[in-house]
């Protein structure tokens, strides 16, 4: 074997030795740093404990902060347990952007929103629905909105002492059949369903009475009175909403319905239910009155 052939093994062994030395130095350095860091941390903790033992105010403050942190962690864990994200929840919301409505409907939406302190987004759906239903039922949509305003002030969960429910305060127990197409009586608390059922009840009442005023009297179920107080209130709001829709100045006064003598009804046997849309035993209003007011 020549001298040239013996050189590579020496170079290889030297490289291995250098690598071992470097690894050993790195390990020793890491050990020293870690050891020193742990020693420093222990010193800091010892000083902190001595300080907290000597200073009651600092100890109380530290305990308060620690307790607050633990409570926050507990609340976060509880919230995670009871709160589940539901990205499709938006599909249940009855709301729309007012800016997407035609000008007349948008004007009405913003005006009602300001007056009744209701968000314009859910009102947008109700106004649009009232205009669509009103066209089909041959009723002025502003009359439907006026009834909603007077009956519930646009609270879809309103309920009267006698059981009238929802936006248009329909007696659910009387008009149960009308809610069958919407899945049952609980649909009374769905704004759009209640609006459609209420508009149908109002349409039938107007047709039955032959005039808007007479229909309103039947709608409110006036029995011992002529219903003029209700008729005047609804018609006044109807004219105001109509003025807003047409871009005209809002009228402050409206023609009043003259009270008519009312004959008290015969006593009703206990347990007998009076249907809200039934005819009231009062002097009938003129049959030639217009269906809506302009």
């Amino acid at each position: 074997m020549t001298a040239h052939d013996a050189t590579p093994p020496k170079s290889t062994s030297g490289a291995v030795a250098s690598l071992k030395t470097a690894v050993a130095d790195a390990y020793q350095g890491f050990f020293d740093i870690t050891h020193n860091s742990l020693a420093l941390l222990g010193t800091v903790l010892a000083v902190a404990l001595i300080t907290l033992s000597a200073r009651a105010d600092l100890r109380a403050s530290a305990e308060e902060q620690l307790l607050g942190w633990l409570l926050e962690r507990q609340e976060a864990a509880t919230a995670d347990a009871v709160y589940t994200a539901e990205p499709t929840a938006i599909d249940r919301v009855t709301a729309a952007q007012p800016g997407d409505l035609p000008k007349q409907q948008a004007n009405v939406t913003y005006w009602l929103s300001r007056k009744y302190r209701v968000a314009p987004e859910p009102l947008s759906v109700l106004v649009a629905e009232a205009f669509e239903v009103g066209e089909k039922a041959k009723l002025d949509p502003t009359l439907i909105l006026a009834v909603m305003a007077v009956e519930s002030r646009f609270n879809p969960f309103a309920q009267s002492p006698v059981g009238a429910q929802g936006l248009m305060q329909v007696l659910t127990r009387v008009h149960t059949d009308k809610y069958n197409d919407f899945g049952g009586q609980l649909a009374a608390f769905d704004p759009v369903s209640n609006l459609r059922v209420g508009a149908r009840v109002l349409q039938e009442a107007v047709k039955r009475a032959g005039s808007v005023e007479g229909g309103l009297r039947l709608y409110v179920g006036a029995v011992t009175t002529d219903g003029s107080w209700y008729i005047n209130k609804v018609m006044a709001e109807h004219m105001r909403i109509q003025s807003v829709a047409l871009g005209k100045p809002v009228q402050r006064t409206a023609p009043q319905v003259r009270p008519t003598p009312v004959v008290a009804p015969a006593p009703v046997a206990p347990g007998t239910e009076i249907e809200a849309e039934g005819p009231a035993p009062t002097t009938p209003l003129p049959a030639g009155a217009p269906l809506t007011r302009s």
Side-chain angles (χ1 to χ4, degrees), residues 94 98 108-124 126 148-149 152-156 167:
T94 306
V108 170
T109 297
Y110 287 121
W111 187 82
L112 291 173
S113 174
R114 290 191 299 269
K115 181 173 182 178
Y116 292 97
R117 298 182 181 181
V118 180
E121 288 81 8
L123 268 179
S124 297
L126 299 180
M148 274 190 282
S152 67
R153 298 183 66 86
F154 298 99
N155 176 8
L167 284 173

Side-chain angles (χ1 to χ4, degrees), residues 134 137-147 199 201-222 226-228 230-239 242 255 257 284-294:
K138 307 303 181 184
L139 288 174
D140 191 322
T142 59
L143 175 65
I144 299 174
L145 292 169
V147 170
V201 174
L202 180 61
Q203 176 197 34
E204 293 174 355
V206 170
K207 183 177 180 180
R208 191 171 179 178
S211 68
V212 170
E213 291 84 353
L216 290 173
R217 186 184 64 194
L218 297 181
Y219 189 87
V220 76
D226 64 356
S228 59
Y230 178 80
I231 298 170
N232 289 331
K233 194 171 184 179
V234 172
M235 293 306 295
E237 189 68 357
H238 164 45
M239 295 184 69
Q242 194 175 64
V257 174
L285 294 173
L291 197 62
T292 58
R293 292 192 178 190
S294 58

Side-chain angles (χ1 to χ4, degrees), residues 13-288:
S13 60
V16 171
S18 299
L19 180 61
K20 288 182 177 180
T21 302
V23 171
D25 291 343
Y27 173 78
Q28 185 63 37
F30 176 77
F31 177 80
D32 292 340
I33 293 174
T34 304
H35 180 73
N36 293 335
S37 299
L38 290 175
L40 179 61
L41 179 61
T43 303
V44 171
L45 289 176
V47 173
L49 289 175
I50 294 173
T51 303
L52 292 176
S53 300
R55 296 282 302 275
D57 57 334
L58 293 178
R59 184 172 66 253
S61 176
E63 291 175 351
E64 183 177 351
Q65 292 181 7
L66 178 61
L67 178 60
W69 179 78
L70 291 175
L71 289 175
E72 289 179 1
R73 295 288 297 174
Q74 183 179 7
E75 291 176 358
T78 304
D80 292 340
V82 300
Y83 175 81
T84 304
E86 189 180 358
T88 59
I90 189 66
D91 297 336
R92 298 198 302 267
V93 178
T94 306
Q97 293 298 335
D100 297 336
L101 298 176
K103 183 175 177 58
Q104 283 190 347
Q105 297 180 27
N107 290 342
V108 170
T109 297
Y110 287 121
W111 187 82
L112 291 173
S113 174
R114 290 191 299 269
K115 181 173 182 178
Y116 292 97
R117 298 182 181 181
V118 180
E121 288 81 8
L123 268 179
S124 297
V125 175
L126 299 180
V127 170
E129 188 68 23
F131 273 77
E132 182 177 347
V133 170
E135 182 179 358
K136 295 177 181 177
K138 307 303 181 184
L139 288 174
D140 191 322
T142 59
L143 175 65
I144 299 174
L145 292 169
V147 170
M148 274 190 282
V150 172
E151 291 284 358
S152 67
R153 298 183 66 86
F154 298 99
N155 176 8
F157 309 123
Q159 177 165 308
S160 75
V162 297
Q165 297 175 324
L167 284 173
M168 297 192 70
Q169 291 292 279
V170 177
L171 276 174
T172 307
R173 67 177 184 275
V174 174
H175 300 284
T176 303
D177 60 318
K178 293 182 175 64
Y179 281 110
N180 289 339
D181 293 336
F182 300 96
Q185 296 185 37
L186 290 180
F189 299 106
D190 170 58
V192 175
S193 300
N194 190 282
L195 189 159
R196 292 175 180 175
V197 171
R200 181 178 172 186
V201 174
L202 180 61
Q203 176 197 34
E204 293 174 355
V206 170
K207 183 177 180 180
R208 191 171 179 178
S211 68
V212 170
E213 291 84 353
L216 290 173
R217 186 184 64 194
L218 297 181
Y219 189 87
V220 76
V223 176
T224 59
T225 69
D226 64 356
S228 59
W229 59 273
Y230 178 80
I231 298 170
N232 289 331
K233 194 171 184 179
V234 172
M235 293 306 295
E237 189 68 357
H238 164 45
M239 295 184 69
R240 283 190 284 266
I241 299 174
Q242 194 175 64
S243 298
V244 172
L246 298 176
K248 297 179 180 179
V250 177
Q251 301 184 35
R252 301 298 178 183
T253 59
Q256 301 291 299
V257 174
R258 296 178 60 182
T260 56
V262 176
V263 179
V268 179
T272 302
E273 186 177 78
I274 298 176
E275 186 171 325
E277 66 171 353
T282 61
T283 303
L285 294 173

